[in-house]
């Protein structure tokens, strides 16, 4: 019954302008920046986008996906006048930005966030030049799970809305206000809350001993490179995670998870 609900636009040439656009958004960061658009891959991400009120500019389904009950249920959420594209499986695999295509893609405009100013009643995470999109998406997913709503990305970070970062984020992007290419030093100039840098060294203190119940801005830097010296100097404290002897550091995504959930634990105990 659900199959009869849809009128698909069948395309089979990769030179079709609509398909060329999808391919470009999936593989070219410059195209995503210039057009202000990105590609969602998979039913879960598209479902999250629809829940967040994001309009789908184009939907593309593989031939086998046109018979998938989960995908058909998702398509049932689209306005009746929208006609999803249906393409052969081999062509869909060329369009998909992931190694294991799910059978459905959607093109969206990048959501615009307002209010760059750090709000002292809220937790803010500042991600400094984190270049791995998987790590970046994982941190955003963790932040959303810990109740964080605001994320600043400095120049040098991977694109927050790249397909790989989106896939790692598992829909968390749509629960956050994300700002990219942020001058974090300027943004924090008038901030009166506590600024904590996750790091190591003689000047650091174990973060379990730090009161995290008040307003906090967290600084997380790229592995190896760490937080830039200028931004690190803005921190009120450098806090470290205690680890077993012989272990120097954690993956930045794991470190962010430990810090943010310790903060959540302290705040819940207070309430």
């Amino acid at each position: 019954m659900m199959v009869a609900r849809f009128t698909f636009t069948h395309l089979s040439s990769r030179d079709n302008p609509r398909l060329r656009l999808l391919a470009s958004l999936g593989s070219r960061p410059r195209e995503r920046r210039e057009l202000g658009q990105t590609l969602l891959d998979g039913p879960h991400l598209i479902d999250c986008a629809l829940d967040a009120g994001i309009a789908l500019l184009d939907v593309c389904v593989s031939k086998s996906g046109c018979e998938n009950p989960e995908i058909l249920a998702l398509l049932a959420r689209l306005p009746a006048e929208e006609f999803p594209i249906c393409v052969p499986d081999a062509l869909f695999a060329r369009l998909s930005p992931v190694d294991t295509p799910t059978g459905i893609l959607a093109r969206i405009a990048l959501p615009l966030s307002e209010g760059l100013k750090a709000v002292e009643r809220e937790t803010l995470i500042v991600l400094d030049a984190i270049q791995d999109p998987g790590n970046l998406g994982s941190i955003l997913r963790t932040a959303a799970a810990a109740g964080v709503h605001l994320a600043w990305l400095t120049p040098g970070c991977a694109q927050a809305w790249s397909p790989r970062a989106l896939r790692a984020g598992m829909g968390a992007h749509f629960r956050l206000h994300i700002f990219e290419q942020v001058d974090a030093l300027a943004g924090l100039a008038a901030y009166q809350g506590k600024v904590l840098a996750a790091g190591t060294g003689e000047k650091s203190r174990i973060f379990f001993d730090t009161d995290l119940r008040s307003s906090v801005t967290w600084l997380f830097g790229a592995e190896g490179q760490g937080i830039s010296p200028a931004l690190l100097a803005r921190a009120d404290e450098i806090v470290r995670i205690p680890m077993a002897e012989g272990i120097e550091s954690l993956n930045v995504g794991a470190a962010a998870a430990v810090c943010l959930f310790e903060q959540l634990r302290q705040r819940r105990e207070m309430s």
Side-chain angles (χ1 to χ4, degrees):
M1 291 178 63
M2 288 203 299
V3 174
R5 151 72 172 75
F6 304 108
T7 301
F8 290 101
T9 299
H10 292 270
L11 300 175
S12 58
S13 172
R14 63 174 128 172
D15 291 326
N16 180 278
R18 292 173 72 182
L19 301 185
R20 288 175 64 183
L21 176 57
L22 295 180
S24 293
L25 290 173
S27 60
R28 298 177 183 173
R30 181 177 177 180
E31 201 86 3
R32 292 193 290 270
R33 282 194 301 269
E34 291 182 351
L35 294 178
Q37 298 178 8
T38 193
L39 207 58
L40 306 181
D41 185 288
H44 178 74
L45 274 181
I46 295 171
D47 195 43
C48 289
L50 290 172
D51 285 345
I54 304 296
L56 307 184
L57 305 179
D58 229 344
V59 177
C60 180
V61 185
S62 67
K63 184 173 176 54
S64 58
C66 293
E67 301 173 358
N68 181 305
E70 182 183 13
I71 291 176
L72 290 174
L74 184 59
L75 294 178
R77 299 186 61 185
L78 302 182
E81 64 272 13
E82 291 192 14
F83 302 139
I85 302 168
C86 180
V87 301
D89 287 4
L91 178 54
F92 186 90
R94 288 177 175 270
L95 300 176
S96 175
V98 300
D99 295 332
T100 52
T102 59
I104 185 168
L105 299 169
R107 176 170 63 94
I108 65 167
L110 299 185
L112 298 177
S113 293
E114 297 181 358
L116 179 62
K117 182 180 178 181
V119 179
E120 292 175 23
R121 293 187 303 275
E122 295 185 13
T123 296
L124 164 66
I125 59 170
V126 178
L127 308 183
D128 188 33
I130 295 176
Q131 298 177 351
D132 183 87
N135 273 342
L136 181 62
S138 177
I139 294 171
L140 295 176
R141 182 181 181 184
T142 295
V148 176
H149 301 105
L150 188 57
W152 291 358
L153 281 58
T154 69
C157 274
Q159 283 188 346
W161 296 92
S162 70
R164 279 190 61 199
L166 280 161
R167 196 172 178 99
M170 291 293 290
H173 288 65
F174 303 113
R175 294 179 174 271
L176 294 163
H177 296 290
I178 301 170
F179 296 86
E180 299 188 83
Q181 302 294 313
V182 173
D183 182 342
L185 275 178
L188 291 172
Y191 181 68
Q192 298 297 314
K194 188 181 297 183
V195 179
L196 300 178
T200 57
E202 294 181 0
K203 295 182 179 180
S204 64
R205 59 178 291 185
I206 294 177
F207 90 110
F208 289 133
D209 299 329
T210 303
D211 186 351
L212 304 174
R213 294 171 297 176
S214 60
S215 176
V216 175
T217 286
W218 289 98
L219 309 179
F220 298 108
E223 294 172 57
Q225 178 180 332
I227 301 166
S228 66
L231 191 54
L232 187 62
R234 174 61 181 84
D236 298 307
E237 292 183 49
I238 301 173
V239 294
R240 71 181 186 276
I241 299 168
M243 288 176 277
E245 186 176 352
I247 304 299
E248 293 184 1
S249 64
L250 288 174
N251 169 281
V252 63
V258 173
C259 293
L260 294 176
F261 276 95
E262 170 60 14
Q263 180 183 8
L264 180 63
R265 183 193 69 79
Q266 289 190 20
R267 290 185 171 185
R268 285 195 169 182
E269 282 191 352
M270 181 178 65
S271 61

